[in-house]
């Protein structure tokens, strides 16, 4: 009896292992101002159940004799990481940006709601000192194959002829990687889109042997005030701007994934119907 093997998303209702939203600043926050902002943000995060996670800054330099030598970490200004006790969500605060990440993604509204609750109050304080220059949204999706490499069939997950996947790589029957990135004009912003497709063997459950899987990383970064792309008033680059960009990116990245995976899998994980790949943004 022949078994019809099929891919399964890493979770019952979706395939998202990780999701992250970040905001970039320019110029970087001066160290003294950064220390003041951290002192104001820390109690708010701790009261919400987040714990400070010490990080180790290590640097190296090449000496005149050609040998590597360690450097003392810079005084102040290092990234500050606050995470939930189970490490399921974390906020990284640095002099040049804020990054919110979670490994317990459920649906979009709870995710963006957490950004509004935990990131925006801190962002509000930062933009009194620096300006927002970019907003980025990232997804890490994973799909598991129930068999082995001997019966592996990537065509049961990836859409035939998808232009988001390197076609030469897709002809291989085992591990391969397809990484790409490009710029588009999105309104008055420059948008960088990145799509990586990686076939790898992973251990998802310690009670089950390692198995083939397909990981799909997709990200969009909208950059403001890039010459030849558009001009944005600094005052408009605020908390509302961040949420607006994330909402646009969320919908656009769903569409990108829909052009990579089959209709059957798209339906299984609840993606909306795809736009034509040639449709205007």
């Amino acid at each position: 009896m022949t078994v019809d093997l099929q891919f399964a998303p890493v979770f019952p209702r979706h395939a998202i292992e990780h999701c992250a939203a970040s905001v970039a600043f320019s110029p970087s926050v001066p160290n003294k101002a950064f220390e003041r902002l951290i002192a104001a943000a820390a109690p708010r995060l701790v009261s919400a159940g987040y714990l400070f996670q010490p990080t180790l800054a290590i640097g190296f330099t090449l000496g005149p004799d050609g040998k590597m030598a360690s450097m003392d970490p810079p005084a102040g200004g290092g990234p500050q990481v606050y995470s939930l006790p189970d490490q399921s969500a974390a906020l990284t605060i640095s002099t040049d940006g804020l990054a919110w990440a979670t490994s317990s993604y459920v649906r979009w509204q709870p995710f963006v709601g957490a950004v509004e609750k935990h990131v925006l109050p801190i962002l509000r304080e930062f933009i009194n000192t620096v300006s927002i220059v970019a907003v980025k949204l990232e997804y890490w999706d994973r799909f598991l194959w129930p068999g082995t490499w001997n019966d592996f069939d990537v065509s049961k997950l990836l859409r035939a002829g998808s232009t988001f996947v390197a076609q030469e790589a897709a002809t291989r029957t085992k591990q391969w990687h397809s990484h790409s990135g490009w710029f588009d004009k999105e309104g008055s912003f420059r948008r960088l889109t990145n799509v990586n497709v990686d076939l790898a063997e992973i251990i998802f459950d310690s009670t089950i042997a390692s198995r083939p899987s397909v990981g799909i990383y997709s990200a969009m970064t909208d950059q403001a005030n890039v010459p030849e792309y558009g001009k944005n008033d600094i005052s408009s680059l605020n908390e509302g701007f961040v949420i607006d960009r994330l909402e646009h990116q969320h919908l656009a990245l769903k569409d990108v994934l829909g052009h990579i995976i089959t209709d059957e899998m798209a339906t299984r994980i609840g993606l909306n119907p795809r736009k034509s790949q040639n449709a205007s943004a």
Side-chain angles (χ1 to χ4, degrees):
M1 178 178 173
T2 302
V3 178
D4 182 22
L5 298 178
Q6 297 290 336
F7 278 92
V10 71
F11 297 111
R13 297 183 61 188
H14 66 81
I16 301 169
E17 284 189 306
H18 304 283
C19 183
S22 54
V23 182
F25 306 137
S26 182
S28 297
V29 180
N31 283 348
K32 288 294 186 182
F34 183 70
E35 292 171 3
R36 173 177 53 80
L37 290 165
I38 288 294
R44 181 186 298 115
L45 292 168
V46 171
S47 67
Y50 287 78
L51 304 176
F52 173 68
Q53 303 293 324
T55 57
L56 179 63
I58 301 175
F60 295 92
T61 185
L62 187 65
D65 57 357
K67 295 181 179 180
M68 297 294 291
S70 61
M71 299 186 301
D72 293 331
Q80 305 286 300
V81 180
Y82 290 83
S83 68
L84 289 176
D86 64 359
Q87 307 292 311
S88 62
L91 174 62
T92 301
I93 309 172
S94 66
T95 58
D96 55 6
L98 304 173
W100 169 262
T102 182
S103 59
S104 60
Y105 185 95
V106 180
R107 286 298 179 193
W108 174 250
Q109 286 305 322
F111 176 82
V112 75
V115 172
E116 292 174 327
K117 180 179 179 180
H118 300 300
V119 179
L120 294 194
I122 297 172
L123 175 66
R124 194 172 298 120
E125 299 298 324
F126 271 70
I127 58 179
N128 289 327
T129 304
V130 292
S131 298
I132 297 171
V133 293
V135 177
K136 182 177 185 179
L137 181 63
E138 303 168 90
Y139 284 109
W140 289 260
D141 290 270
R142 187 166 299 279
F143 303 87
L144 304 176
W145 179 251
T148 68
W149 290 114
N150 292 330
D151 52 29
F152 183 78
D153 185 358
V154 77
S155 70
K156 290 189 173 182
L157 174 69
L158 300 185
R159 184 177 298 277
S162 172
T163 58
F164 292 105
V165 179
Q167 293 305 296
E168 181 64 22
T171 64
R172 304 305 190 262
T173 57
K174 292 188 177 182
Q175 293 96 329
W176 53 261
H177 310 285
S178 169
H179 293 189
S180 60
W182 60 92
F183 290 107
D184 289 307
K185 191 177 189 302
E186 171 66 17
S188 58
F189 309 104
R190 182 173 73 174
R191 170 169 289 178
L192 170 62
T193 302
N194 292 102
V195 175
N196 300 344
V197 180
D198 295 281
L199 275 63
E201 189 166 300
I202 68 164
I203 299 176
F204 180 70
D205 185 330
S206 60
T207 65
I208 301 175
S210 61
R211 63 177 64 180
S213 74
V214 177
I216 301 176
Y217 168 79
S218 57
M220 285 184 175
T221 307
D222 289 345
Q223 301 166 298
N225 291 318
V226 177
E228 299 181 12
Y229 282 85
K231 183 73 174 176
N232 309 100
D233 190 284
I234 296 298
S235 64
S236 69
L237 305 178
N238 51 27
E239 307 100 288
F241 160 76
V242 170
I243 298 301
D244 180 70
R245 285 296 92 204
L246 290 175
E247 293 282 0
H248 279 82
Q249 292 166 346
H250 164 64
L251 294 176
L253 286 172
K254 288 181 68 174
D255 190 59
V256 167
L257 184 60
H259 280 97
I260 297 173
I261 62 177
T262 63
D263 287 337
E264 293 76 14
M265 183 57 75
T267 298
R268 182 171 178 179
I269 63 175
L271 284 184
N272 291 332
R274 295 175 298 124
K275 294 186 305 182
S276 166
Q277 199 165 337
N278 295 322
S280 59

